[in-house]
Amino acid sequence: MTTPAFAAPGSVLTVMAHPDDAELWAGGTLALCAAAGAAVTIAVPRHPEPRAAEAAAGAAVLGAGLYQIEQPTAAALRELLLESRPEVVITHPLRDVHADHRRIAEALLDALPEVVITTGHPRRVYTADTYNGLTLDGTIPAHTIVDISSTWTTKQRALAAHASQPIDEHFGPMAETLARLWGIRIGVTHAENFVPLPVLGRLPAAAAL
């Protein structure tokens, strides 16, 4: 487990399955990155209204751009990675309990080797948290924990943009519980956790995100 002082990467791309996923699992960290001047992009499959508009609103609160993927295939993600060349990519756990999460994470994993060989980017890939911190294989391990105490209210506002979803009664309280539990690990009020994903057999050399 590493908990160094936060230093924002130059660019961050999240590849998630649903319009509220980036906010739920990484919103505080994305807001920190955007505030530090990083180029932050949230990529999700295109959803019908009102979710498409909610995705744009949530991204705007975080200071992120939004890329709506027409078909979340490995080929489409490969093109996105080639165009954007992010320093850091964040996605779902490969063994997430949600089938949609697993599918897009697996598509991203399929796309990564060729892109990394061609461009050298992304430099680092991480998986984020999931429902109550539980995957099909058990609990999410603590690794790179980011203090989001200063952006917790921003994360809450971004989640609130997804009015069609059960934020108040379900996702919001879960996000609060997870953030406080990760925060306890490093002695802060709220935090988010990320686990590095090996690409071409290599894990990130950097201790921070």
Side-chain angles (χ1 to χ4, degrees):
M1 182 179 68
T2 56
T3 55
F6 182 75
S11 56
V12 182
L13 170 69
T14 64
V15 178
M16 302 285 187
H18 306 107
D20 55 351
D21 281 332
E23 290 89 329
L24 184 57
W25 311 122
T29 301
L30 297 180
L32 277 176
C33 291
V40 178
T41 304
I42 294 171
V44 292
R46 185 178 295 280
H47 282 64
E49 297 298 351
R51 300 210 70 186
E54 291 171 354
V61 171
L62 299 178
L66 177 68
Y67 184 94
Q68 300 194 65
I69 309 163
E70 297 299 335
Q71 295 291 332
T73 62
L77 295 179
R78 189 178 302 116
E79 290 304 310
L80 172 59
L81 291 167
L82 287 170
E83 290 174 12
S84 59
R85 300 195 180 191
E87 183 177 343
V88 168
V89 170
I90 299 170
T91 191
H92 298 288
L94 291 169
R95 293 285 288 164
D96 200 291
V97 295
H98 198 306
D100 290 349
H101 295 186
R102 294 196 301 273
R103 279 191 288 268
I104 200 159
E106 288 165 0
L108 174 69
L109 190 65
D110 286 347
L112 280 169
E114 179 184 333
V115 176
V116 172
I117 289 170
T118 302
T119 69
H121 290 79
R123 304 287 189 191
R124 300 180 293 284
V125 180
Y126 294 89
T127 58
D129 214 339
T130 187
Y131 299 101
N132 293 318
L134 291 171
T135 71
L136 294 173
D137 295 326
T139 56
I140 296 280
H143 194 280
T144 301
I145 303 178
V146 177
D147 178 3
I148 63 162
S149 303
S150 65
T151 54
W152 171 247
T153 57
T154 303
K155 173 172 174 147
Q156 287 181 303
R157 288 191 294 111
L159 276 172
H162 298 272
S164 69
Q165 302 305 298
I167 302 299
D168 290 342
E169 62 271 33
H170 183 64
F171 294 144
M174 180 178 63
E176 172 87 25
T177 298
L178 288 170
R180 288 195 178 278
L181 288 172
W182 291 121
I184 288 169
R185 297 279 192 127
I186 57 172
V188 301
T189 60
H190 297 86
E192 291 169 340
N193 179 62
F194 302 92
V195 179
L197 185 68
V199 179
L200 297 174
R202 295 194 297 267
L203 286 170
L209 190 69

